[in-house]
Amino acid sequence: MKILIINGPNLNMLGLREPDIYGRRDFHALEDFIRGACRDQGFEAELFQSNHEGAIVDAIQGAYGRIDGIVINPAAYTHTSVAILDALKAVGIPAVEVHLSDVTKRESFRQISYAGMACVKSYIGLGFEGYRQAILFLKDYLKGRENT
Ligand code: DQA
């Protein structure tokens, strides 16, 4: 089984950006962590990061017919992008939302998640571990669907 992990804008700046919120480990470390978690679950992993909304929409559309599950941290587009929500709905691939920080305890403009409306589950405020939890969840979720 193959999963696509999508990271949105400014996540490539991890380590540098607001370390008190996002930690000191860099994006390379996050990608290594995600690859390891996928390997542990026997998933083939495709990783994608972009600072551009349309590129993220293209990546979701390009997953159709090819990818079994999506893990997505849309970053700031979480709170603004109906286009990413619509793309997730269009392809109908089971998706899990991840946020490194606890957005529920941050600014009011972070309290809406458009992408989350198309996701079967969200992991918020767990740092890197949220991605591992999302991958574990997808493993069970996809296995459950295989058996129905
Ligand atoms: C984020 C939370 C968003 O509100 C923010 O814009 C990000 C990262 C997180 O992982 O905590 O860029 O998605």
Side-chain angles (χ1 to χ4, degrees), residues 95-96 120-121 123 132-142:
V96 179
V120 290
K121 182 93 177 164
Y123 291 95
R132 203 176 70 84
Q133 294 294 326
I135 290 159
L136 283 168
F137 177 86
L138 266 182
K139 178 81 191 232
D140 276 355
Y141 186 87
L142 294 173

Side-chain angles (χ1 to χ4, degrees), residues 23-123:
R24 293 190 187 277
R25 286 185 289 177
D26 65 10
F27 186 64
H28 187 69
L30 176 61
E31 290 207 315
D32 279 353
F33 180 90
I34 292 169
R35 281 201 185 89
C38 287
R39 205 180 308 121
D40 288 348
Q41 297 311 315
F43 277 134
E44 206 182 317
E46 191 170 302
L47 275 66
F48 179 79
Q49 190 276 330
S50 178
N51 295 324
H52 304 278
E53 184 177 15
I56 294 171
V57 170
D58 287 344
I60 294 167
Q61 290 184 7
Y64 184 74
R66 233 171 36 79
I67 296 284
D68 301 295
I70 294 175
V71 174
I72 184 164
N73 181 349
Y77 291 138
T78 306
H79 319 299
T80 60
S81 181
V82 177
I84 291 174
L85 166 64
D86 285 350
L88 289 169
K89 283 182 166 176
V91 296
I93 299 169
V96 179
E97 174 188 24
V98 174
H99 297 288
L100 293 160
S101 67
D102 186 355
V103 283
T104 67
K105 301 213 168 74
R106 296 181 64 192
E107 302 92 329
S108 58
F109 60 82
R110 294 185 208 273
Q111 299 314 310
I112 185 159
S113 170
Y114 289 103
M117 294 175 195
C119 290
V120 290
K121 182 93 177 164
S122 299
Y123 291 95

